[in-house]
Amino acid sequence: MITFSDAERRARMVERHRLSSRRRADRVDTVADDLVGLHSSDPVTVYLSLHARLDGATIESIERALYEDRSVVRHHAMRRTLWVFTPEHARLAHASTTLGLVGPQRRALVKLLAENEVADDADRWLDEAFAAVAAVLREVGEATARELGERVPSLRAGLSYAPDKPYGGTISAHTRVLVLMGFMGRIVRARPLGTWVSGQYRWAETDRWLAGGFGSDEPARAASQLVDRYLRSFGPASPVDVQWWTGWAKRATTNALAACRAIEVAGQRGEPLYVAEGDTAKASTEPSIALLPGLDPTVMGWKERDWYLPPERAATVFDRNGNAGPCIVADGSVVGGWAQRDDGTIVTSLHAPLSSTHRRMLDEEIERLRGFVGDSRFTIRFPSPLSRHLAS
């Protein structure tokens, strides 16, 4: 059986995730494909993850890919979170994962509508709301949630949820209606209202925004292909890693690994890992430094992280819900964190020593990042303890 040491796994990470200056790409969709998808729960993540892996990237060039060329698209998928995919990967994620959310989410919304006495027939009310949203978007092209509420007054109905819980509250019906239509693949998030740091999006009909929509692939086939793509980027990975990344049940994960003919290999401690069929090549080691943002797909790509993140440092890099903060990655190892302060200063903290070569590279990356963000200020939506401390 082929064995991969921790160092060999890190070398593959650096190469395949484009973490070295030599491996940087020149297209947004190339990077999105190489990582399968980019996390977009925090809009800042998309831009900073791309900047770390692109030569000559600007805010404008990334916006052009997102909203004009549409070579990448936002869509809810694995772990019910928001991603940016190329259309091909968006279709695989939609068929294998997102469509499975529709039934449970619809039933939950119908129950909430009934509990709030929004309509005598909540199912019918919901179908009519879908039709009304689609009609407005067909007429105007793109619209915000507020604009849709103004055009379809019934969407402004208030929904109280979890009244006996500390996280309970009241939301407008359109909040849940639009998200559910997104899960269904009927609408997508278009250009935001504000700048690149804004997460308030306009909505558009999928078929008008993305040629061919999300397609109609068979779920099991799509799951097999999605796991194959994941392993070609993140492998060697354990079954626990695959299940964590996809958010699937254990059986679905096992079935997809078998269907894509994943090859079992061994880790440094003899632990069972998997790579994609025919993908046992090992990468050469090269010096690298990357400033990765919170929720970056590399740091978030594995559940079992001891081989690239010292266990005693995990609690400083990740918050209690498993969200990674901004990290410094050297030669595939997380060696510290960083943050932007209110005055725009980029500050760093290291928990591992760096060579003089790596320190010079880190200084260069800080300057490169400053040039990219310019006068923009951004707030990390899911800060780690370390990044929160640095920012203050």
PDB file of all heavy atoms in Angstrom, residues 24 51 55 107 129 188 195 233 236 243 255 258 294 323 355 371 376 389-390:
ATOM      1  N   ARG A  24       0.613  30.239  -9.047  1.00  0.00           N
ATOM      2  CA  ARG A  24      -0.546  31.107  -9.181  1.00  0.00           C
ATOM      3  C   ARG A  24      -1.159  31.024 -10.576  1.00  0.00           C
ATOM      4  O   ARG A  24      -0.457  30.844 -11.568  1.00  0.00           O
ATOM      5  CB  ARG A  24      -0.167  32.557  -8.861  1.00  0.00           C
ATOM      6  CG  ARG A  24       0.083  32.789  -7.376  1.00  0.00           C
ATOM      7  CD  ARG A  24       0.355  34.243  -7.072  1.00  0.00           C
ATOM      8  NE  ARG A  24       0.861  34.360  -5.703  1.00  0.00           N
ATOM      9  CZ  ARG A  24       1.881  35.112  -5.339  1.00  0.00           C
ATOM     10  NH1 ARG A  24       2.503  35.850  -6.249  1.00  0.00           N
ATOM     11  NH2 ARG A  24       2.277  35.153  -4.087  1.00  0.00           N
ATOM     12  N   HIS A  51      -7.402  36.164  -4.504  1.00  0.00           N
ATOM     13  CA  HIS A  51      -6.189  36.985  -4.554  1.00  0.00           C
ATOM     14  C   HIS A  51      -4.960  36.187  -4.164  1.00  0.00           C
ATOM     15  O   HIS A  51      -3.892  36.328  -4.776  1.00  0.00           O
ATOM     16  CB  HIS A  51      -6.332  38.190  -3.627  1.00  0.00           C
ATOM     17  CG  HIS A  51      -5.023  38.854  -3.334  1.00  0.00           C
ATOM     18  ND1 HIS A  51      -4.300  38.608  -2.182  1.00  0.00           N
ATOM     19  CD2 HIS A  51      -4.275  39.704  -4.067  1.00  0.00           C
ATOM     20  CE1 HIS A  51      -3.174  39.294  -2.220  1.00  0.00           C
ATOM     21  NE2 HIS A  51      -3.131  39.972  -3.336  1.00  0.00           N
ATOM     22  N   ASP A  55      -2.349  35.748 -10.055  1.00  0.00           N
ATOM     23  CA  ASP A  55      -1.400  36.800 -10.419  1.00  0.00           C
ATOM     24  C   ASP A  55      -2.169  37.980 -10.999  1.00  0.00           C
ATOM     25  O   ASP A  55      -3.005  37.808 -11.889  1.00  0.00           O
ATOM     26  CB  ASP A  55      -0.398  36.293 -11.460  1.00  0.00           C
ATOM     27  CG  ASP A  55       0.879  35.761 -10.828  1.00  0.00           C
ATOM     28  OD1 ASP A  55       1.240  36.245  -9.736  1.00  0.00           O
ATOM     29  OD2 ASP A  55       1.501  34.863 -11.420  1.00  0.00           O
ATOM     30  N   ARG A 107     -40.906  21.637   4.043  1.00  0.00           N
ATOM     31  CA  ARG A 107     -41.793  21.218   5.131  1.00  0.00           C
ATOM     32  C   ARG A 107     -41.647  22.126   6.345  1.00  0.00           C
ATOM     33  O   ARG A 107     -42.637  22.481   7.000  1.00  0.00           O
ATOM     34  CB  ARG A 107     -41.501  19.764   5.509  1.00  0.00           C
ATOM     35  CG  ARG A 107     -41.948  18.762   4.443  1.00  0.00           C
ATOM     36  CD  ARG A 107     -41.871  17.337   4.941  1.00  0.00           C
ATOM     37  NE  ARG A 107     -40.500  16.887   5.156  1.00  0.00           N
ATOM     38  CZ  ARG A 107     -39.733  16.339   4.221  1.00  0.00           C
ATOM     39  NH1 ARG A 107     -40.195  16.180   2.990  1.00  0.00           N
ATOM     40  NH2 ARG A 107     -38.498  15.941   4.505  1.00  0.00           N
ATOM     41  N   ALA A 129     -46.378  32.167  -3.884  1.00  0.00           N
ATOM     42  CA  ALA A 129     -45.255  33.077  -3.631  1.00  0.00           C
ATOM     43  C   ALA A 129     -44.122  32.806  -4.612  1.00  0.00           C
ATOM     44  O   ALA A 129     -43.509  33.738  -5.146  1.00  0.00           O
ATOM     45  CB  ALA A 129     -44.771  32.919  -2.192  1.00  0.00           C
ATOM     46  N   VAL A 188     -30.845  32.641  -8.288  1.00  0.00           N
ATOM     47  CA  VAL A 188     -29.464  32.715  -7.808  1.00  0.00           C
ATOM     48  C   VAL A 188     -29.172  34.128  -7.321  1.00  0.00           C
ATOM     49  O   VAL A 188     -29.850  35.091  -7.698  1.00  0.00           O
ATOM     50  CB  VAL A 188     -28.438  32.347  -8.900  1.00  0.00           C
ATOM     51  CG1 VAL A 188     -28.561  30.898  -9.302  1.00  0.00           C
ATOM     52  CG2 VAL A 188     -28.588  33.261 -10.114  1.00  0.00           C
ATOM     53  N   THR A 195     -20.405  47.190  -2.103  1.00  0.00           N
ATOM     54  CA  THR A 195     -19.101  46.872  -2.668  1.00  0.00           C
ATOM     55  C   THR A 195     -18.816  45.382  -2.507  1.00  0.00           C
ATOM     56  O   THR A 195     -19.680  44.595  -2.122  1.00  0.00           O
ATOM     57  CB  THR A 195     -18.015  47.679  -1.959  1.00  0.00           C
ATOM     58  OG1 THR A 195     -17.906  47.242  -0.596  1.00  0.00           O
ATOM     59  CG2 THR A 195     -18.339  49.172  -1.983  1.00  0.00           C
ATOM     60  N   SER A 233      -8.242  17.254  -5.496  1.00  0.00           N
ATOM     61  CA  SER A 233      -7.743  18.511  -4.936  1.00  0.00           C
ATOM     62  C   SER A 233      -7.251  18.353  -3.503  1.00  0.00           C
ATOM     63  O   SER A 233      -6.211  18.897  -3.134  1.00  0.00           O
ATOM     64  CB  SER A 233      -8.849  19.569  -4.967  1.00  0.00           C
ATOM     65  OG  SER A 233      -8.405  20.785  -4.412  1.00  0.00           O
ATOM     66  N   PRO A 236      -4.495  13.021  -0.299  1.00  0.00           N
ATOM     67  CA  PRO A 236      -5.165  11.994   0.497  1.00  0.00           C
ATOM     68  C   PRO A 236      -6.055  12.608   1.583  1.00  0.00           C
ATOM     69  O   PRO A 236      -5.670  13.565   2.244  1.00  0.00           O
ATOM     70  CB  PRO A 236      -4.010  11.218   1.136  1.00  0.00           C
ATOM     71  CG  PRO A 236      -2.794  11.566   0.328  1.00  0.00           C
ATOM     72  CD  PRO A 236      -3.025  12.959  -0.143  1.00  0.00           C
ATOM     73  N   GLN A 243     -16.683  13.117   4.568  1.00  0.00           N
ATOM     74  CA  GLN A 243     -18.011  13.320   5.150  1.00  0.00           C
ATOM     75  C   GLN A 243     -18.154  14.730   5.703  1.00  0.00           C
ATOM     76  O   GLN A 243     -19.209  15.364   5.558  1.00  0.00           O
ATOM     77  CB  GLN A 243     -18.264  12.285   6.250  1.00  0.00           C
ATOM     78  CG  GLN A 243     -19.689  12.351   6.800  1.00  0.00           C
ATOM     79  CD  GLN A 243     -19.965  11.256   7.814  1.00  0.00           C
ATOM     80  OE1 GLN A 243     -19.152  10.359   8.027  1.00  0.00           O
ATOM     81  NE2 GLN A 243     -21.119  11.328   8.458  1.00  0.00           N
ATOM     82  N   ASN A 255     -20.689   5.192  -0.110  1.00  0.00           N
ATOM     83  CA  ASN A 255     -21.148   4.810  -1.449  1.00  0.00           C
ATOM     84  C   ASN A 255     -20.445   5.631  -2.533  1.00  0.00           C
ATOM     85  O   ASN A 255     -20.068   5.105  -3.582  1.00  0.00           O
ATOM     86  CB  ASN A 255     -22.658   4.989  -1.558  1.00  0.00           C
ATOM     87  CG  ASN A 255     -23.425   3.967  -0.738  1.00  0.00           C
ATOM     88  OD1 ASN A 255     -22.878   2.946  -0.324  1.00  0.00           O
ATOM     89  ND2 ASN A 255     -24.697   4.237  -0.494  1.00  0.00           N
ATOM     90  N   ALA A 258     -16.853   4.500  -3.049  1.00  0.00           N
ATOM     91  CA  ALA A 258     -16.798   3.257  -3.814  1.00  0.00           C
ATOM     92  C   ALA A 258     -17.117   3.505  -5.287  1.00  0.00           C
ATOM     93  O   ALA A 258     -16.459   2.959  -6.183  1.00  0.00           O
ATOM     94  CB  ALA A 258     -17.770   2.244  -3.225  1.00  0.00           C
ATOM     95  N   GLY A 294     -10.431  34.078   6.434  1.00  0.00           N
ATOM     96  CA  GLY A 294     -11.343  33.235   7.183  1.00  0.00           C
ATOM     97  C   GLY A 294     -12.183  32.399   6.245  1.00  0.00           C
ATOM     98  O   GLY A 294     -12.569  32.857   5.162  1.00  0.00           O
ATOM     99  N   ASN A 323     -15.414  27.243  12.387  1.00  0.00           N
ATOM    100  CA  ASN A 323     -15.092  28.191  11.323  1.00  0.00           C
ATOM    101  C   ASN A 323     -13.655  28.676  11.484  1.00  0.00           C
ATOM    102  O   ASN A 323     -13.263  29.131  12.563  1.00  0.00           O
ATOM    103  CB  ASN A 323     -16.038  29.393  11.377  1.00  0.00           C
ATOM    104  CG  ASN A 323     -17.484  28.997  11.215  1.00  0.00           C
ATOM    105  OD1 ASN A 323     -17.843  28.328  10.253  1.00  0.00           O
ATOM    106  ND2 ASN A 323     -18.328  29.396  12.152  1.00  0.00           N
ATOM    107  N   SER A 355      11.971  30.816   8.656  1.00  0.00           N
ATOM    108  CA  SER A 355      13.312  31.087   8.150  1.00  0.00           C
ATOM    109  C   SER A 355      13.359  32.501   7.604  1.00  0.00           C
ATOM    110  O   SER A 355      12.321  33.150   7.381  1.00  0.00           O
ATOM    111  CB  SER A 355      13.661  30.091   7.046  1.00  0.00           C
ATOM    112  OG  SER A 355      12.834  30.332   5.910  1.00  0.00           O
ATOM    113  N   GLY A 371      -1.889  46.069  -1.417  1.00  0.00           N
ATOM    114  CA  GLY A 371      -2.147  46.622  -2.745  1.00  0.00           C
ATOM    115  C   GLY A 371      -3.479  46.178  -3.310  1.00  0.00           C
ATOM    116  O   GLY A 371      -4.154  46.940  -4.013  1.00  0.00           O
ATOM    117  N   SER A 376      -9.996  49.756   1.104  1.00  0.00           N
ATOM    118  CA  SER A 376     -11.144  49.006   1.621  1.00  0.00           C
ATOM    119  C   SER A 376     -10.884  48.524   3.048  1.00  0.00           C
ATOM    120  O   SER A 376      -9.757  48.193   3.415  1.00  0.00           O
ATOM    121  CB  SER A 376     -11.435  47.790   0.740  1.00  0.00           C
ATOM    122  OG  SER A 376     -11.781  48.177  -0.565  1.00  0.00           O
ATOM    123  N   HIS A 389      -8.364  38.957  18.453  1.00  0.00           N
ATOM    124  CA  HIS A 389      -7.361  39.597  19.306  1.00  0.00           C
ATOM    125  C   HIS A 389      -6.462  40.527  18.484  1.00  0.00           C
ATOM    126  O   HIS A 389      -6.196  41.673  18.895  1.00  0.00           O
ATOM    127  CB  HIS A 389      -6.498  38.526  19.990  1.00  0.00           C
ATOM    128  CG  HIS A 389      -5.296  39.060  20.698  1.00  0.00           C
ATOM    129  ND1 HIS A 389      -5.396  39.763  21.890  1.00  0.00           N
ATOM    130  CD2 HIS A 389      -3.973  39.025  20.383  1.00  0.00           C
ATOM    131  CE1 HIS A 389      -4.177  40.137  22.280  1.00  0.00           C
ATOM    132  NE2 HIS A 389      -3.312  39.696  21.367  1.00  0.00           N
ATOM    133  N   LEU A 390      -6.028  40.062  17.308  1.00  0.00           N
ATOM    134  CA  LEU A 390      -5.157  40.887  16.483  1.00  0.00           C
ATOM    135  C   LEU A 390      -5.866  42.142  15.982  1.00  0.00           C
ATOM    136  O   LEU A 390      -5.285  43.231  15.943  1.00  0.00           O
ATOM    137  CB  LEU A 390      -4.657  40.068  15.288  1.00  0.00           C
ATOM    138  CG  LEU A 390      -3.643  38.970  15.579  1.00  0.00           C
ATOM    139  CD1 LEU A 390      -3.392  38.131  14.327  1.00  0.00           C
ATOM    140  CD2 LEU A 390      -2.338  39.568  16.081  1.00  0.00           C
TER     141      LEU A 390
END
